[in-house]
DNA sequence: TCCTATCTGTGAATTATTTCACAGATAGGA
DNA sequence: TCCTATCTGTGAAATAATTCACAGATAGGA
């Protein structure tokens, strides 16, 4: 149960977990680090090294057991516990996210949607309960919502984030084009379309085109326990 | 004009660019590395170091000129040239992206939308020209589209990516929950909601909660000149 | 049971990135 | 013009992450 797993390793392990849990359907019992490399693009070296940071030791001639590998990562990172999340901002992007089928978000449950337009909310049909922005703090606290997907416009972003935090939210996936103020006890990952496009441009301008890392949209170094951009 | 700018530095510089170009409206002529730190969360150290990788040398008692800073990053990474992009897959997520106002994507122009449902496309009103998936290759080539935003479901993702690549696309922002096959000459950045949520969980499970980096949604190390996840 | 081929686990070496600390440059005031 | 306060630019040091290479473990066959 290693403390201090480097962030890049966490990112790789999450990806490995995704691949392995997707694999289980296909009754594959064991998988080698080399197979994982071809499925994930992560080098076998790194896969073994990363797993050795968690692993309670075992070895063999066959690869990893998919079951125990999934269990190991899951237990280390808390993927086994279902977490409640919410979506704040229900314009097109927010609605697209709200409409994800449960199966697409396995391990997470969208427990609430928030918007500032009563009219808009009345037109929406969804099984997710909807609330006005002014109910954010109370609702997040009452439903024990841990993460928020912030899909509001630039103007409202910081204020909405503050309300979420006041309700006790632990992490925000920020789709709004704003750099949120770093706060202690709040993880932020930014997913900013324009920034991602620029990153593609910038990477392309490098010669040779670099291999890159980390990150789905990633984040950047930050003070105050939060994470910005990627 | 430094070759070999490390990827993390590229990510930070892109972010700095975003902040600085946003600042220009407010008639701010000069900005210090310390001010940039408070705006971006990137340490002043790193900002100066990163800029020194590009800078043709200059110094002074005042901070950076916002104009020349913007120009420097812009020129280094090719942000000054307008690039054409497309959106493949026009369900809710794709439509949300297609409907971004031009101003939200400054430097990029959505030159085409693609979908496999003629019915769906006929119901859409947008000023972006729409085409069927089977026109992808020809259209991407004819319009010289450089980047694609892939917002199709898991089933169609790889096939659609192949068509885009056949048309000569240089980079893909992949919103579909699939790890695309690494290809030479194709940059991929994955923005995978479930993966991002898991990353939040995993980061939270670390004690102490780590500061993180890179990336808006970021990507991970890869063979074959492409970038996966983040 | 023993041997071999295979694949993991991991310390050590290498490489990359970040942080530091201070020399150098400049604007502005005296 | 000279002095001072301020802020950049950047080698060097420190830290972090990746890659390597091989010892150790095991399954399966002879």
């Amino acid at each position: 149960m290693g403390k201090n797993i480097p962030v890049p390793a966490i990112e790789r392990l999450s990806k490995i977990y995704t691949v392995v849990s997707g694999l289980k359907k296909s009754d594959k019992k064991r998988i080698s680090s080399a197979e994982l490399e071809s499925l994930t693009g992560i080098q076998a070296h790194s896969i073994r090294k990363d797993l050795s940071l968690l692993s309670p030791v075992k070895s063999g001639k066959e690869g990893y057991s998919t079951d125990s590998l999934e269990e190991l990562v899951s237990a280390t990172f808390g993927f086994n516990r279902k977490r409640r999340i919410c979506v704040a901002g229900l314009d097109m992007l927010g609605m697209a996210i709200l409409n994800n089928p449960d199966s697409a978000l396995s391990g997470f449950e969208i427990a609430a949607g928030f918007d500032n337009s009563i009219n808009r909310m009345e037109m929406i049909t969804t099984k997710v309960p909807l609330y006005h922005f002014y109910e954010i703090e109370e609702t997040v606290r009452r439903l024990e919502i841990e993460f928020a997907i912030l899909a509001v416009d630039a103007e409202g972003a910081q204020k909405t984030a503050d309300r979420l935090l006041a309700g006790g939210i632990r992490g925000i996936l920020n789709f709004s084009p704003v750099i949120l103020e770093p706060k202690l006890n709040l993880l932020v990952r930014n997913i900013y379309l324009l920034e991602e496009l620029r990153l593609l441009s910038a990477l392309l301008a490098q010669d040779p085109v670099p291999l890159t890392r980390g990150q789905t949209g990633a984040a950047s170094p930050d003070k105050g326990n939060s994470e910005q951009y990627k």
Side-chain angles (χ1 to χ4, degrees), chain A residues 44-133:
Chain A
H45 291 143
S46 291
I47 291 172
R48 294 206 302 276
K49 181 67 164 182
D50 290 346
L51 286 171
S52 84
L53 299 173
L54 323 182
S55 164
V57 190
K58 66 194 158 182
S59 192
K61 180 198 161 190
E62 308 187 312
Y64 301 94
S65 146
T66 49
D67 284 344
S68 57
L69 201 164
E70 184 181 14
E71 169 57 24
L72 178 63
V73 178
S74 176
T76 306
F77 292 144
F79 296 161
N80 35 17
R81 188 163 69 76
K82 190 138 192 152
R83 291 179 194 264
R84 275 188 283 279
I85 65 176
C86 67
V87 178
L90 300 177
D91 63 355
M92 291 194 71
L93 179 60
M95 283 307 299
I97 293 168
L98 204 66
N99 279 331
N100 264 298
D102 288 349
S103 62
L105 294 176
S106 84
F108 299 89
E109 178 198 348
I110 301 182
F114 299 102
D115 201 282
N116 61 351
S117 158
I118 301 278
N119 287 342
R120 176 152 51 188
M121 287 196 283
E122 281 175 347
M123 295 177 61
I124 295 173
T125 55
T126 170
K127 62 182 199 302
V128 176
L130 303 182
Y131 306 87
H132 192 274
F133 273 176

Side-chain angles (χ1 to χ4, degrees), chain A residues 114-173:
Chain A
F114 299 102
D115 201 282
N116 61 351
S117 158
I118 301 278
N119 287 342
R120 176 152 51 188
M121 287 196 283
E122 281 175 347
M123 295 177 61
I124 295 173
T125 55
T126 170
K127 62 182 199 302
V128 176
L130 303 182
Y131 306 87
H132 192 274
F133 273 176
Y134 58 63
E135 299 171 283
I136 286 179
E137 182 172 347
E138 184 270 325
T139 307
V140 165
R141 177 162 288 121
R142 178 166 49 81
L143 299 180
E144 297 183 314
I145 293 172
E146 294 183 89
F147 300 147
I149 295 168
L150 190 61
V152 302
D153 57 21
E155 290 70 42
Q158 184 62 52
K159 192 169 155 196
T160 308
D162 290 343
R163 282 176 164 168
L164 289 162
L165 186 58
I169 216 93
R170 308 292 307 277
I172 291 179
L173 241 47

Side-chain angles (χ1 to χ4, degrees), chain A residues 9-79:
Chain A
I10 294 177
E11 296 179 344
R12 288 189 298 264
L13 286 164
S14 295
K15 186 175 181 179
I16 289 166
Y17 173 84
T18 296
V19 168
V20 170
S21 57
L23 226 60
K24 284 193 61 181
K25 297 161 201 155
S26 59
D27 78 349
K28 195 159 172 55
K29 287 287 174 229
R30 309 208 136 251
I31 191 166
S32 68
S33 53
E35 287 175 289
L36 279 171
E37 169 168 341
S38 72
L39 288 172
T40 60
I42 302 167
Q43 299 205 336
H45 291 143
S46 291
I47 291 172
R48 294 206 302 276
K49 181 67 164 182
D50 290 346
L51 286 171
S52 84
L53 299 173
L54 323 182
S55 164
V57 190
K58 66 194 158 182
S59 192
K61 180 198 161 190
E62 308 187 312
Y64 301 94
S65 146
T66 49
D67 284 344
S68 57
L69 201 164
E70 184 181 14
E71 169 57 24
L72 178 63
V73 178
S74 176
T76 306
F77 292 144
F79 296 161

Side-chain angles (χ1 to χ4, degrees), chain A residues 173-189:
Chain A
L173 241 47
N174 177 31
F175 281 84
S176 71
V178 162
I179 297 176
L180 298 175
E181 292 165 14
K183 295 276 166 63
L184 224 56
N185 301 323
L186 179 67
L187 278 168
V188 177
R189 282 188 74 87

